[in-house]
């Protein structure tokens, strides 16, 4: 009889023959290789150091307790997010979530039959009570990128993932190209908590793919706090870094490179 490790290895090999594991940043076939050797240098250059916390002087954080992101939204990081969002690649969102768990929370990943398996980090559950992903802006994709990214983070932190705790109650325009004032107005009242008992009195970790100005995360926090949540801290894979806080009426084009 094969050992559990032998069975796991066989399943992993079979799975990767049929569905090769790829780098979410460049789409290279990886197999068990991690991190991607082609992306290491660029990812290191895009790391936000020495701190990953967002500055309230450069982003609108509203009633958020704080926010953090390990990368700048540029280069291969931006391509990875766009791959997860627009190229029918839920696996890319899973891998990006594992990267967030590693960089933001110090989690290690062991290679399992279906890819990296994020390991719990002792003590993190003392800081949060639940994890809530930012709701999808459209149902057309068939999956919610922040929710897929939140799954490995929930395993690392060791608290429940509440994917239905927060919902969009009305559609909004795309934030791309809008000014800060327009972004704030666009998402004002866009979110609600159907069952306040899911978040009442809880310290919530809010997960998104990208934080640009902070308007969406702040609107989510407002809805969660109105439902009785104790505090909200937001994390994302990446953020747009500004030299100065955007002028309220100035248009912001974070994806202009891809659209040209």
């Amino acid at each position: 009889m094969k050992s559990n490790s032998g069975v796991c290895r066989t399943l992993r090999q079979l799975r990767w023959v049929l569905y090769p594991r790829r780098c979410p940043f460049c789409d290279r076939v990886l197999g068990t290789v991690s991190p991607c050797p082609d992306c290491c240098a660029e990812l290191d250059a895009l790391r936000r150091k020495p701190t990953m916390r967002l500055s309230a002087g450069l982003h609108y954080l509203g009633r958020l307790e704080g926010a953090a992101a390990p990368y700048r939204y540029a280069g291969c990081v931006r391509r990875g997010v766009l791959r997860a969002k627009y190229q029918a690649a839920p696996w890319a969102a899973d891998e990006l979530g594992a990267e967030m768990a590693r960089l933001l929370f110090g989690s290690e990943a062991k290679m399992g039959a279906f890819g990296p398996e994020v390991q719990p980090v002792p003590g993190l559950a003392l800081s949060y009570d639940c994890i809530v992903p930012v709701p999808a802006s459209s149902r057309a994709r068939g999956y919610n990128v922040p929710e897929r990214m939140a799954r490995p983070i929930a395993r690392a932190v060791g608290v429940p993932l509440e994917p239905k705790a927060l919902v969009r109650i009305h559609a909004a325009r795309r934030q791309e190209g809008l000014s800060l004032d327009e972004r704030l107005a666009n998402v004002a009242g866009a979110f609600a908590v159907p069952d306040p008992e899911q978040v009442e009195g809880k310290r919530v970790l809010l997960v998104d793919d990208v934080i640009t100005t902070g308007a969406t995360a702040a609107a989510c926090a407002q809805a969660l706090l109105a439902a009785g949540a104790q505090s909200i801290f937001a994390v994302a894979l990446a953020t747009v870094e500004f030299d100065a806080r955007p002028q309220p009426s100035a248009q912001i084009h974070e994806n202009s490179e891809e659209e040209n």
Side-chain angles (χ1 to χ4, degrees):
M1 180 180 241
K2 287 186 177 183
S3 67
N4 287 338
S5 60
V7 172
C8 184
R9 185 164 53 251
T10 300
L11 289 173
R12 180 166 63 239
Q13 291 170 347
L14 177 61
R15 186 262 186 185
W16 286 344
V17 167
L18 298 174
Y19 306 101
R21 177 174 171 252
R22 295 179 176 275
C23 171
F25 300 108
C26 70
D27 207 31
R28 165 184 171 153
V29 174
L30 289 180
T32 59
V33 176
S34 188
C36 174
D38 291 347
C39 295
C40 280
E42 185 174 3
L43 287 172
D44 187 62
L46 292 171
R47 284 283 302 275
R48 301 181 63 248
K49 303 172 184 177
T51 177
M52 292 182 282
R53 288 188 71 116
L54 274 60
S55 167
L58 299 177
H59 294 84
Y60 179 82
L61 301 184
R63 295 179 64 192
L64 285 164
E65 188 178 69
Y71 288 116
R72 290 186 291 112
Y73 186 55
C76 67
V77 172
R78 179 163 55 187
R79 291 191 291 273
V81 171
L82 295 178
R83 178 172 290 111
K85 294 177 74 168
Y86 301 119
Q87 296 182 20
W91 60 268
D94 296 340
E95 293 270 356
L96 295 176
E99 180 77 346
M100 289 174 66
R102 180 179 74 86
L103 294 176
L104 288 167
F105 300 105
S107 174
E108 295 182 0
K110 295 182 178 179
M111 203 59 66
F114 298 98
E117 296 178 351
V118 168
Q119 303 301 300
V121 179
L124 283 182
L126 297 175
S127 301
Y128 306 101
D129 298 306
C130 67
I131 294 178
V132 174
V134 172
S137 57
S138 169
R139 296 183 181 180
R141 188 177 296 119
Y143 61 92
N144 181 18
V145 171
E147 180 182 341
R148 299 291 297 233
M149 297 170 81
R151 292 176 185 177
I153 295 173
R155 289 194 291 271
V157 178
V159 297
L161 173 63
E162 301 289 358
K164 297 181 180 180
L166 189 66
V167 299
R168 287 184 184 263
I169 54 177
H170 68 73
R173 296 164 57 195
R174 284 190 62 191
Q175 296 281 63
E176 164 66 22
L178 301 182
S179 68
L180 175 58
D181 278 353
E182 289 171 330
R183 287 167 184 255
L184 292 171
N186 191 40
V187 293
F191 304 98
V193 178
D195 181 5
E197 289 187 1
Q198 287 189 288
V199 300
E200 190 172 2
K202 294 182 178 179
R203 299 160 299 171
V204 177
L205 182 65
L206 181 72
V207 176
D208 204 354
D209 47 19
V210 178
I211 294 176
T212 303
T213 60
T216 297
C220 290
Q222 179 64 39
L224 290 163
L225 291 167
Q230 178 179 326
S231 62
I232 318 296
F233 192 93
V235 294
L237 176 73
T239 186
V240 175
E241 290 193 331
F242 304 100
D243 293 329
R245 188 162 180 167
Q247 293 298 312
S249 60
Q251 290 184 325
I252 301 168
H253 296 279
E254 66 267 35
N255 285 320
S256 57
E257 183 177 300
E258 282 77 12
E259 293 178 347
N260 289 338

